[in-house]
């Protein structure tokens, strides 16, 4: 039976980079004989323009039925005056919540070809390979009560609730321990347990969970220190696990260490390995429509999608040899090959490179994929 993939390009540069990922998917289908049926939907600002809401019931239904979702990016100045409950970002947050995509995997890997593009010295980042495991459906992003209220004296007060249940902490810890076990065997849990009770519980539950993972070396770090350590000596980390908001911040920081946030894919998975795959970067409205955006993070997100959600029976990188896994490997290799050939979009440009636009970068990947 064919696999179902839903394509949600979103706003800003989303549609442009999605077009390149779909080219790569066509090439991969051809080469590996993949049987994937693609449906398309609107999300974010594009959906607000069409339906008045950032995620329509129809699109949500398509998402529920899909084995995997390839997501572009949402948001832009056009929708900045939307009320909080109807902002483009809500479409993304709703998809995460409705599909229970609690496990967000954000690898920060330095392509050796791009060592010079990092804002850190090459020796600090050479060989960098960190996986941030971010809890994605709880914490302060979703905690209730939330809002802005008016106090007795007429002053307004904004408030959010930072809350985690033991079961939520346990399941994300499990994902992180499993990932660490398959990688370098080290897990750093990031919290603020010197100040916040909720993250004190986080630390307790992670420690309890570690009993089943004697082969994984567990450490703990306060989030402020973790931010500092990421820019001081990032290679000390293997896998990091943390809550929703800390993970949002630390993953941007880790991404930049690799030279360009335009290179990094991410996966958001639920218990059934159904997943949504998106670049870590945003919709970059300032360069939208200019054929300038780097499509490689979107293309690498497609590779992750094939590997984690479409390869039957495979979970978190078990190295199975199915066609989808072979296709994922080939796409990742094609990306590395185009970098070897010197192709660069402006965000990763360096002296002497072959500067190309979005479409030409996509074409170069397809070329490498078909003529490997
Ligand atoms: C991310 C983004 C989102 C988040 C926004 C767009 C809602 O920054 O995926 O990191 O905060 O989670
Ligand atoms: Mg973010």
């Amino acid at each position: 039976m064919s696999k179902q993939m839903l394509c949600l390009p979103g706003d800003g540069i989303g549609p442009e980079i999605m077009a390149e990922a779909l080219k790569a998917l066509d090439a991969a289908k051809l080469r590996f004989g993949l049987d994937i049926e693609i449906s398309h939907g609107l999300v974010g600002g594009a959906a607000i323009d069409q339906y008045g809401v950032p995620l329509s019931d129809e699109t949500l239904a398509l998402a529920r039925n899909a084995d995997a979702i390839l997501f572009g990016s949402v948001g832009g100045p056009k929708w900045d005056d939307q009320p909080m409950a109807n902002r483009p970002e809500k479409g993304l947050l709703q998809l995460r919540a409705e599909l229970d995509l609690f496990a967000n995997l954000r690898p920060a890997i330095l392509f050796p070809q791009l060592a010079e593009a990092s804002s850190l010295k090459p020796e600090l980042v050479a060989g960098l390979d960190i996986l941030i495991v971010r809890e994605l459906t709880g914490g302060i992003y979703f905690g209730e009560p939330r809002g802005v209220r008016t106090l007795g004296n007429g002053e307004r007060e904004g408030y959010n609730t930072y809350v985690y249940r033991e079961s939520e902490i346990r399941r994300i810890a499990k994902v992180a321990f499993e990932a660490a076990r398959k990688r370098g065997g080290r897990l750093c849990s990031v919290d603020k347990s010197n100040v916040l009770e909720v993250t004190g519980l986080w630390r307790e539950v992670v420690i309890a969970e570690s009993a089943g993972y004697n082969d994984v070396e567990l450490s703990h770090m306060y989030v402020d220190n973790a931010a500092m350590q990421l820019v001081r000596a990032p290679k000390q980390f293997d896998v990091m696990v943390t809550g929703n908001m800390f993970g949002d911040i630390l993953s941007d920081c880790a991404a930049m260490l690799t030279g360009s946030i335009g290179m990094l894919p991410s996966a958001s998975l639920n218990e059934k390995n159904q997943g949504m795959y998106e670049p870590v970067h945003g919709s970059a409205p300032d360069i939208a429509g200019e054929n300038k955006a780097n499509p490689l993070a979107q293309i690498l997100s497609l590779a992750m999608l094939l590997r984690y959600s479409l390869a039957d029976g495979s979970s978190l990188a078990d190295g199975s040899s199915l066609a989808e896994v072979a296709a994922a490997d080939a796409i990742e290799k094609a990306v590395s090959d185009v970098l070897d050939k010197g192709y660069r979009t402006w965000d990763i440009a360096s002296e002497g490179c072959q500067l190309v636009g979005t479409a030409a970068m996509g074409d170069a990947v397809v070329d490498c994929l078909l003529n490997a």
Side-chain angles (χ1 to χ4, degrees), residues 133-331:
V133 178
R134 168 188 176 195
E135 199 291 326
L136 202 59
T137 51
I140 198 166
Y141 268 53
F142 292 93
E144 297 283 350
R146 62 191 295 155
V148 179
R149 59 191 161 209
T150 305
L151 303 175
N153 67 357
E155 188 184 12
R156 287 183 310 151
E157 176 181 73
Y159 57 99
N160 287 88
T161 305
Y162 192 173
V163 57
Y164 268 120
R165 287 194 304 273
E166 285 181 292
S167 54
E168 291 176 294
I169 304 169
R170 207 173 298 123
R171 67 179 183 172
I172 192 70
K174 213 172 164 47
V175 168
F177 277 113
E178 291 289 336
R181 172 174 272 176
K182 289 176 187 129
R183 293 172 38 106
R186 287 177 301 119
L187 176 62
C188 178
S189 170
V190 176
D191 62 43
K192 188 73 185 173
S193 58
N194 51 343
V195 178
L196 303 172
E197 287 82 355
V198 49
T199 71
L201 179 66
W202 176 281
R203 188 177 287 215
E204 249 181 63
V205 173
V206 171
I207 290 172
E209 197 60 29
S210 73
Y213 297 91
N214 290 329
D215 51 332
V216 176
E217 186 190 312
L218 173 65
S219 61
H220 306 272
M221 209 177 262
Y222 296 141
V223 64
D224 48 349
N225 186 26
M228 179 174 78
Q229 296 300 330
L230 269 176
V231 290
R232 192 188 73 86
K235 283 193 276 183
Q236 69 184 283
F237 296 111
D238 176 21
V239 180
M240 301 172 93
V241 63
T242 191
N244 206 341
M245 184 165 64
F246 296 163
D248 178 44
I249 299 165
L250 293 179
S251 61
D252 264 28
C253 181
M256 201 55 225
L257 301 175
T258 69
S260 172
I261 198 166
M263 294 297 300
L264 298 179
S266 74
S268 308
L269 303 169
N270 64 20
E271 302 273 12
K272 298 178 296 190
N273 267 347
Q274 185 188 25
M276 182 157 77
Y277 297 80
E278 55 179 307
V280 169
H281 63 68
S283 60
D286 51 320
I287 56 163
E290 293 182 15
N291 190 36
K292 256 180 146 177
N294 185 348
L296 295 179
Q298 187 78 68
I299 292 172
L300 290 168
S301 298
L302 170 67
M304 272 187 118
L305 177 153
L306 293 167
R307 188 186 304 286
Y308 290 144
S309 286
L310 292 198
D312 267 335
S314 76
S315 64
L316 300 182
D318 69 353
S320 95
S321 63
L322 293 155
E324 285 85 359
V325 175
D329 289 344
I331 290 171

Side-chain angles (χ1 to χ4, degrees), residues 71-87:
F71 189 98
S73 52
V74 288
K78 183 173 175 198
W79 305 282
D80 273 352
D81 52 0
Q82 288 285 331
M84 186 63 93
N86 208 49
R87 287 184 63 90

